[in-house]
Amino acid sequence: MADYKITCCSTADISSEHLKKLDVAFGKYHYIIDGKDFADDLYTSLTPAEFYAKIDAGAMPTTSQVTPEELCELFEPILSAGYDVLHIEFSSGLSGGWQSALAAQKIMSEKYPARKVYVVDSLAASSGYGLLVDKAAELKAGGMGIDELKKWVEDNRLRVRHWFFATNLAHFKRGGRVSGPAAAIGTLLNICPVMDVNSQGKLIVRRKALGRKKAVKDLFASMCAQAEGGLGYSGKCYISHSMMDAEANQLKEMVEQAFPSLNGRVEIDPIGTVIGSHTGPGTVALFFFGTDKRTL
């Protein structure tokens, strides 16, 4: 049986060091800021503070998806070395990167007909996407073959629960997630939209919390209600945020105290440049494995 490699994209919002430990190579989405195009290198070239300072100073970054050519460049060294590829891609509900992955799959399958090139739509985003990639790498390390793992990812991707809240509504308004009047009223009244990613991989506003403290409690309550095994949850938990260290650490402490069987400590990562271009500073997100979204 041929060996294989897992690949993903930078929008998984976990560190390059983490991905290296998992032996997972990643393709880079792009962000455009101050008229210049940059590859999302997971904060190798700049820090989260530097990136969000540019936004605070008035920059309005835009983004572009990974291209088929860039994914071919990611896959080819793996295939030419005799490995198969399982590529887990950013949610098709949030980006056209999935179409790029399918195009690259076709090109590489024709060039390397003896190799398997699989692509799977994660239907996940940010560190929820990262959590799915991490679990896939764990199963691969445990001996799961590429065909079985592809099916596992497809069967379990909707168990990755995403819960976000936002305090800065300007960027959600710009992206069409929140209407102009709702953004104005929400900002005036200190309302924080609470969102999740639905079964189509799209970001949906579910509730509204009055202030950051209540929003943190809302995310925590969601995990208590939905985590696999309830308070006995034994999987991993990730948090990502954009310049919300205090709230992210508060949420981490709440989760670690309530879920004593967690697989390791809660990991906190910064929201990356691509997703951060759409959220701006002021967002906190919580990710865990739980109830299947198709049951909602």
Side-chain angles (χ1 to χ4, degrees):
M1 181 177 68
D3 200 358
Y4 66 101
K5 299 285 187 180
I6 297 171
T7 60
C8 69
C9 280
S10 58
T11 40
D13 285 357
I14 53 179
S15 70
S16 57
E17 292 82 6
H18 188 153
L19 288 173
K20 185 175 182 180
K21 288 179 182 178
L22 298 177
D23 191 26
V24 172
F26 67 95
K28 298 172 183 176
Y29 276 58
H30 292 255
Y31 65 99
I32 300 91
I33 194 165
D34 297 332
K36 298 180 180 179
D37 185 297
F38 298 91
D40 177 12
D41 59 9
L42 299 175
Y43 291 119
T44 300
S45 300
L46 82 173
T47 67
E50 290 169 337
F51 174 71
Y52 288 108
K54 290 178 181 290
I55 295 177
D56 282 336
M60 297 293 281
T62 57
T63 61
S64 61
Q65 66 203 39
V66 65
T67 66
E69 293 76 17
E70 288 168 326
L71 287 176
C72 286
E73 291 174 3
L74 177 68
F75 299 161
E76 183 142 33
I78 299 170
L79 297 167
S80 64
Y83 295 97
D84 296 333
V85 170
L86 174 59
H87 178 70
I88 304 173
E89 181 54 50
F90 183 52
S91 174
S92 62
L94 295 170
S95 167
W98 168 242
Q99 297 301 324
S100 293
L102 291 177
Q105 177 190 38
K106 184 176 186 296
I107 294 167
M108 290 291 99
S109 293
E110 291 174 354
K111 187 170 183 178
Y112 295 92
R115 301 265 64 85
K116 293 177 180 178
V117 184
Y118 292 153
V119 298
V120 179
D121 182 353
S122 69
L123 297 174
S126 191
S127 299
Y129 174 21
L131 180 63
L132 184 64
V133 170
D134 180 277
K135 183 63 179 180
E138 177 187 318
L139 293 172
K140 176 182 181 294
M144 189 175 285
I146 188 171
D147 292 279
E148 187 180 0
L149 184 57
K150 175 179 181 289
K151 184 176 187 305
W152 186 92
V153 173
E154 291 172 336
D155 289 346
N156 289 275
R157 58 192 172 183
L158 293 182
R159 293 196 306 109
V160 180
R161 304 310 304 260
H162 304 58
W163 284 102
F164 299 74
F165 75 81
T167 63
N168 183 340
L169 303 185
H171 292 271
F172 286 89
K173 171 189 170 184
R174 182 164 64 105
R177 307 293 181 190
V178 177
S179 69
I185 294 171
T187 299
L188 181 65
L189 299 179
N190 195 27
I191 292 173
C192 302
V194 176
M195 299 160 275
D196 77 342
V197 172
N198 69 9
S199 58
Q200 288 79 48
K202 298 179 179 179
L203 189 62
I204 304 294
V205 177
R206 298 295 188 186
R207 297 184 291 274
K208 298 173 184 177
L210 186 58
R212 299 182 181 193
K213 291 183 179 180
K214 289 187 177 180
V216 168
K217 291 179 180 178
D218 190 301
L219 267 57
F220 173 70
S222 296
M223 183 170 179
C224 292
Q226 298 169 350
E228 183 179 37
L231 296 181
Y233 177 64
S234 59
K236 292 184 178 180
C237 176
Y238 288 175
I239 292 171
S240 64
H241 71 98
S242 52
M243 305 309 292
M244 295 279 281
D245 295 87
E247 290 79 6
N249 280 290
Q250 179 189 2
L251 183 56
K252 169 187 168 77
E253 291 175 7
M254 293 167 68
V255 169
E256 289 181 344
Q257 288 177 10
F259 294 87
S261 299
L262 282 175
N263 182 1
R265 304 293 298 274
V266 175
E267 179 172 322
I268 298 178
D269 286 292
I271 292 175
T273 52
V274 170
I275 294 176
S277 293
H278 297 278
T279 68
T283 294
V284 177
L286 176 67
F287 311 96
F288 53 93
F289 281 98
T291 52
D292 193 308
K293 296 173 190 176
R294 285 170 291 200
T295 64
L296 296 177

PDB file of all heavy atoms in Angstrom, residues 44-68:
ATOM      1  N   THR A  44       4.463  34.263   9.508  1.00  0.00           N
ATOM      2  CA  THR A  44       5.924  34.163   9.442  1.00  0.00           C
ATOM      3  C   THR A  44       6.539  35.515   9.109  1.00  0.00           C
ATOM      4  O   THR A  44       7.595  35.881   9.621  1.00  0.00           O
ATOM      5  CB  THR A  44       6.348  33.121   8.390  1.00  0.00           C
ATOM      6  OG1 THR A  44       5.804  31.844   8.751  1.00  0.00           O
ATOM      7  CG2 THR A  44       7.866  33.013   8.310  1.00  0.00           C
ATOM      8  N   SER A  45       5.854  36.290   8.248  1.00  0.00           N
ATOM      9  CA  SER A  45       6.400  37.564   7.768  1.00  0.00           C
ATOM     10  C   SER A  45       6.046  38.751   8.639  1.00  0.00           C
ATOM     11  O   SER A  45       6.723  39.780   8.593  1.00  0.00           O
ATOM     12  CB  SER A  45       5.907  37.835   6.340  1.00  0.00           C
ATOM     13  OG  SER A  45       6.318  36.815   5.468  1.00  0.00           O
ATOM     14  N   LEU A  46       4.961  38.650   9.385  1.00  0.00           N
ATOM     15  CA  LEU A  46       4.560  39.723  10.286  1.00  0.00           C
ATOM     16  C   LEU A  46       3.798  39.115  11.444  1.00  0.00           C
ATOM     17  O   LEU A  46       3.376  37.961  11.380  1.00  0.00           O
ATOM     18  CB  LEU A  46       3.720  40.781   9.568  1.00  0.00           C
ATOM     19  CG  LEU A  46       2.213  40.540   9.347  1.00  0.00           C
ATOM     20  CD1 LEU A  46       1.586  41.794   8.777  1.00  0.00           C
ATOM     21  CD2 LEU A  46       1.924  39.360   8.460  1.00  0.00           C
ATOM     22  N   THR A  47       3.629  39.878  12.502  1.00  0.00           N
ATOM     23  CA  THR A  47       2.927  39.381  13.679  1.00  0.00           C
ATOM     24  C   THR A  47       1.441  39.721  13.584  1.00  0.00           C
ATOM     25  O   THR A  47       1.044  40.629  12.838  1.00  0.00           O
ATOM     26  CB  THR A  47       3.492  40.008  14.962  1.00  0.00           C
ATOM     27  OG1 THR A  47       3.189  41.416  14.948  1.00  0.00           O
ATOM     28  CG2 THR A  47       4.992  39.796  15.065  1.00  0.00           C
ATOM     29  N   PRO A  48       0.589  39.020  14.354  1.00  0.00           N
ATOM     30  CA  PRO A  48      -0.822  39.407  14.379  1.00  0.00           C
ATOM     31  C   PRO A  48      -1.011  40.870  14.792  1.00  0.00           C
ATOM     32  O   PRO A  48      -1.856  41.567  14.218  1.00  0.00           O
ATOM     33  CB  PRO A  48      -1.423  38.454  15.412  1.00  0.00           C
ATOM     34  CG  PRO A  48      -0.540  37.250  15.381  1.00  0.00           C
ATOM     35  CD  PRO A  48       0.838  37.780  15.123  1.00  0.00           C
ATOM     36  N   ALA A  49      -0.231  41.331  15.758  1.00  0.00           N
ATOM     37  CA  ALA A  49      -0.359  42.717  16.204  1.00  0.00           C
ATOM     38  C   ALA A  49      -0.072  43.690  15.066  1.00  0.00           C
ATOM     39  O   ALA A  49      -0.761  44.706  14.912  1.00  0.00           O
ATOM     40  CB  ALA A  49       0.569  42.981  17.383  1.00  0.00           C
ATOM     41  N   GLU A  50       0.949  43.390  14.258  1.00  0.00           N
ATOM     42  CA  GLU A  50       1.281  44.264  13.128  1.00  0.00           C
ATOM     43  C   GLU A  50       0.169  44.257  12.082  1.00  0.00           C
ATOM     44  O   GLU A  50      -0.188  45.310  11.532  1.00  0.00           O
ATOM     45  CB  GLU A  50       2.606  43.813  12.506  1.00  0.00           C
ATOM     46  CG  GLU A  50       3.817  44.079  13.394  1.00  0.00           C
ATOM     47  CD  GLU A  50       5.071  43.409  12.895  1.00  0.00           C
ATOM     48  OE1 GLU A  50       4.963  42.403  12.143  1.00  0.00           O
ATOM     49  OE2 GLU A  50       6.175  43.866  13.264  1.00  0.00           O
ATOM     50  N   PHE A  51      -0.384  43.085  11.820  1.00  0.00           N
ATOM     51  CA  PHE A  51      -1.455  42.983  10.819  1.00  0.00           C
ATOM     52  C   PHE A  51      -2.696  43.760  11.264  1.00  0.00           C
ATOM     53  O   PHE A  51      -3.234  44.581  10.505  1.00  0.00           O
ATOM     54  CB  PHE A  51      -1.796  41.514  10.577  1.00  0.00           C
ATOM     55  CG  PHE A  51      -2.979  41.311   9.680  1.00  0.00           C
ATOM     56  CD1 PHE A  51      -2.900  41.590   8.322  1.00  0.00           C
ATOM     57  CD2 PHE A  51      -4.190  40.850  10.186  1.00  0.00           C
ATOM     58  CE1 PHE A  51      -4.000  41.413   7.482  1.00  0.00           C
ATOM     59  CE2 PHE A  51      -5.301  40.669   9.358  1.00  0.00           C
ATOM     60  CZ  PHE A  51      -5.189  40.943   8.000  1.00  0.00           C
ATOM     61  N   TYR A  52      -3.135  43.538  12.481  1.00  0.00           N
ATOM     62  CA  TYR A  52      -4.359  44.194  12.944  1.00  0.00           C
ATOM     63  C   TYR A  52      -4.146  45.679  13.210  1.00  0.00           C
ATOM     64  O   TYR A  52      -5.099  46.469  13.146  1.00  0.00           O
ATOM     65  CB  TYR A  52      -4.927  43.467  14.161  1.00  0.00           C
ATOM     66  CG  TYR A  52      -5.525  42.128  13.774  1.00  0.00           C
ATOM     67  CD1 TYR A  52      -4.903  40.936  14.119  1.00  0.00           C
ATOM     68  CD2 TYR A  52      -6.689  42.075  13.023  1.00  0.00           C
ATOM     69  CE1 TYR A  52      -5.438  39.710  13.731  1.00  0.00           C
ATOM     70  CE2 TYR A  52      -7.237  40.848  12.633  1.00  0.00           C
ATOM     71  CZ  TYR A  52      -6.608  39.675  12.991  1.00  0.00           C
ATOM     72  OH  TYR A  52      -7.137  38.466  12.607  1.00  0.00           O
ATOM     73  N   ALA A  53      -2.902  46.083  13.470  1.00  0.00           N
ATOM     74  CA  ALA A  53      -2.616  47.513  13.605  1.00  0.00           C
ATOM     75  C   ALA A  53      -2.852  48.229  12.280  1.00  0.00           C
ATOM     76  O   ALA A  53      -3.325  49.372  12.266  1.00  0.00           O
ATOM     77  CB  ALA A  53      -1.176  47.721  14.078  1.00  0.00           C
ATOM     78  N   LYS A  54      -2.546  47.559  11.171  1.00  0.00           N
ATOM     79  CA  LYS A  54      -2.804  48.152   9.863  1.00  0.00           C
ATOM     80  C   LYS A  54      -4.304  48.372   9.660  1.00  0.00           C
ATOM     81  O   LYS A  54      -4.739  49.407   9.125  1.00  0.00           O
ATOM     82  CB  LYS A  54      -2.255  47.242   8.753  1.00  0.00           C
ATOM     83  CG  LYS A  54      -0.730  47.167   8.677  1.00  0.00           C
ATOM     84  CD  LYS A  54      -0.294  46.218   7.583  1.00  0.00           C
ATOM     85  CE  LYS A  54       1.226  46.098   7.497  1.00  0.00           C
ATOM     86  NZ  LYS A  54       1.837  47.347   6.980  1.00  0.00           N
ATOM     87  N   ILE A  55      -5.113  47.422  10.118  1.00  0.00           N
ATOM     88  CA  ILE A  55      -6.569  47.560   9.993  1.00  0.00           C
ATOM     89  C   ILE A  55      -7.061  48.686  10.894  1.00  0.00           C
ATOM     90  O   ILE A  55      -7.886  49.515  10.490  1.00  0.00           O
ATOM     91  CB  ILE A  55      -7.261  46.227  10.319  1.00  0.00           C
ATOM     92  CG1 ILE A  55      -6.880  45.167   9.282  1.00  0.00           C
ATOM     93  CG2 ILE A  55      -8.778  46.409  10.375  1.00  0.00           C
ATOM     94  CD1 ILE A  55      -7.450  43.790   9.547  1.00  0.00           C
ATOM     95  N   ASP A  56      -6.546  48.724  12.122  1.00  0.00           N
ATOM     96  CA  ASP A  56      -6.937  49.800  13.038  1.00  0.00           C
ATOM     97  C   ASP A  56      -6.573  51.170  12.480  1.00  0.00           C
ATOM     98  O   ASP A  56      -7.235  52.169  12.779  1.00  0.00           O
ATOM     99  CB  ASP A  56      -6.267  49.597  14.410  1.00  0.00           C
ATOM    100  CG  ASP A  56      -6.962  48.537  15.247  1.00  0.00           C
ATOM    101  OD1 ASP A  56      -8.161  48.279  15.013  1.00  0.00           O
ATOM    102  OD2 ASP A  56      -6.298  47.959  16.124  1.00  0.00           O
ATOM    103  N   ALA A  57      -5.503  51.205  11.671  1.00  0.00           N
ATOM    104  CA  ALA A  57      -5.063  52.476  11.083  1.00  0.00           C
ATOM    105  C   ALA A  57      -5.865  52.845   9.833  1.00  0.00           C
ATOM    106  O   ALA A  57      -5.604  53.888   9.226  1.00  0.00           O
ATOM    107  CB  ALA A  57      -3.583  52.401  10.745  1.00  0.00           C
ATOM    108  N   GLY A  58      -6.816  51.983   9.446  1.00  0.00           N
ATOM    109  CA  GLY A  58      -7.681  52.324   8.330  1.00  0.00           C
ATOM    110  C   GLY A  58      -7.580  51.432   7.117  1.00  0.00           C
ATOM    111  O   GLY A  58      -8.354  51.592   6.157  1.00  0.00           O
ATOM    112  N   ALA A  59      -6.640  50.488   7.104  1.00  0.00           N
ATOM    113  CA  ALA A  59      -6.521  49.587   5.958  1.00  0.00           C
ATOM    114  C   ALA A  59      -7.752  48.687   5.879  1.00  0.00           C
ATOM    115  O   ALA A  59      -8.292  48.263   6.900  1.00  0.00           O
ATOM    116  CB  ALA A  59      -5.267  48.737   6.082  1.00  0.00           C
ATOM    117  N   MET A  60      -8.197  48.415   4.661  1.00  0.00           N
ATOM    118  CA  MET A  60      -9.350  47.534   4.440  1.00  0.00           C
ATOM    119  C   MET A  60      -8.898  46.395   3.530  1.00  0.00           C
ATOM    120  O   MET A  60      -9.075  46.436   2.302  1.00  0.00           O
ATOM    121  CB  MET A  60     -10.507  48.312   3.814  1.00  0.00           C
ATOM    122  CG  MET A  60     -11.040  49.430   4.691  1.00  0.00           C
ATOM    123  SD  MET A  60     -11.857  48.830   6.185  1.00  0.00           S
ATOM    124  CE  MET A  60     -13.447  48.356   5.540  1.00  0.00           C
ATOM    125  N   PRO A  61      -8.290  45.357   4.089  1.00  0.00           N
ATOM    126  CA  PRO A  61      -7.725  44.295   3.258  1.00  0.00           C
ATOM    127  C   PRO A  61      -8.787  43.482   2.543  1.00  0.00           C
ATOM    128  O   PRO A  61      -9.915  43.330   3.020  1.00  0.00           O
ATOM    129  CB  PRO A  61      -6.957  43.439   4.266  1.00  0.00           C
ATOM    130  CG  PRO A  61      -7.621  43.700   5.578  1.00  0.00           C
ATOM    131  CD  PRO A  61      -8.063  45.129   5.522  1.00  0.00           C
ATOM    132  N   THR A  62      -8.412  42.969   1.395  1.00  0.00           N
ATOM    133  CA  THR A  62      -9.234  42.010   0.663  1.00  0.00           C
ATOM    134  C   THR A  62      -8.435  40.719   0.542  1.00  0.00           C
ATOM    135  O   THR A  62      -7.250  40.670   0.897  1.00  0.00           O
ATOM    136  CB  THR A  62      -9.606  42.534  -0.727  1.00  0.00           C
ATOM    137  OG1 THR A  62      -8.390  42.833  -1.463  1.00  0.00           O
ATOM    138  CG2 THR A  62     -10.439  43.805  -0.629  1.00  0.00           C
ATOM    139  N   THR A  63      -9.094  39.674   0.040  1.00  0.00           N
ATOM    140  CA  THR A  63      -8.426  38.371  -0.012  1.00  0.00           C
ATOM    141  C   THR A  63      -8.639  37.710  -1.361  1.00  0.00           C
ATOM    142  O   THR A  63      -9.554  38.055  -2.110  1.00  0.00           O
ATOM    143  CB  THR A  63      -8.950  37.435   1.095  1.00  0.00           C
ATOM    144  OG1 THR A  63     -10.355  37.220   0.907  1.00  0.00           O
ATOM    145  CG2 THR A  63      -8.709  38.027   2.472  1.00  0.00           C
ATOM    146  N   SER A  64      -7.793  36.734  -1.662  1.00  0.00           N
ATOM    147  CA  SER A  64      -7.978  35.899  -2.847  1.00  0.00           C
ATOM    148  C   SER A  64      -7.635  34.459  -2.498  1.00  0.00           C
ATOM    149  O   SER A  64      -6.796  34.196  -1.634  1.00  0.00           O
ATOM    150  CB  SER A  64      -7.122  36.393  -4.018  1.00  0.00           C
ATOM    151  OG  SER A  64      -5.743  36.358  -3.698  1.00  0.00           O
ATOM    152  N   GLN A  65      -8.317  33.559  -3.155  1.00  0.00           N
ATOM    153  CA  GLN A  65      -8.164  32.140  -2.842  1.00  0.00           C
ATOM    154  C   GLN A  65      -6.868  31.584  -3.408  1.00  0.00           C
ATOM    155  O   GLN A  65      -6.227  32.181  -4.272  1.00  0.00           O
ATOM    156  CB  GLN A  65      -9.348  31.366  -3.417  1.00  0.00           C
ATOM    157  CG  GLN A  65      -9.386  31.384  -4.940  1.00  0.00           C
ATOM    158  CD  GLN A  65     -10.769  31.119  -5.494  1.00  0.00           C
ATOM    159  OE1 GLN A  65     -11.765  31.586  -4.961  1.00  0.00           O
ATOM    160  NE2 GLN A  65     -10.835  30.353  -6.567  1.00  0.00           N
ATOM    161  N   VAL A  66      -6.487  30.434  -2.916  1.00  0.00           N
ATOM    162  CA  VAL A  66      -5.360  29.706  -3.476  1.00  0.00           C
ATOM    163  C   VAL A  66      -5.722  29.321  -4.915  1.00  0.00           C
ATOM    164  O   VAL A  66      -6.886  29.055  -5.231  1.00  0.00           O
ATOM    165  CB  VAL A  66      -5.049  28.462  -2.619  1.00  0.00           C
ATOM    166  CG1 VAL A  66      -6.187  27.455  -2.650  1.00  0.00           C
ATOM    167  CG2 VAL A  66      -3.736  27.817  -3.011  1.00  0.00           C
ATOM    168  N   THR A  67      -4.746  29.319  -5.814  1.00  0.00           N
ATOM    169  CA  THR A  67      -5.003  29.020  -7.224  1.00  0.00           C
ATOM    170  C   THR A  67      -4.712  27.550  -7.523  1.00  0.00           C
ATOM    171  O   THR A  67      -3.969  26.886  -6.791  1.00  0.00           O
ATOM    172  CB  THR A  67      -4.128  29.889  -8.136  1.00  0.00           C
ATOM    173  OG1 THR A  67      -2.746  29.511  -7.945  1.00  0.00           O
ATOM    174  CG2 THR A  67      -4.307  31.371  -7.824  1.00  0.00           C
ATOM    175  N   PRO A  68      -5.266  27.030  -8.625  1.00  0.00           N
ATOM    176  CA  PRO A  68      -4.925  25.661  -9.018  1.00  0.00           C
ATOM    177  C   PRO A  68      -3.425  25.479  -9.209  1.00  0.00           C
ATOM    178  O   PRO A  68      -2.868  24.428  -8.836  1.00  0.00           O
ATOM    179  CB  PRO A  68      -5.687  25.470 -10.332  1.00  0.00           C
ATOM    180  CG  PRO A  68      -6.848  26.405 -10.235  1.00  0.00           C
ATOM    181  CD  PRO A  68      -6.317  27.603  -9.500  1.00  0.00           C
TER     182      PRO A  68
END
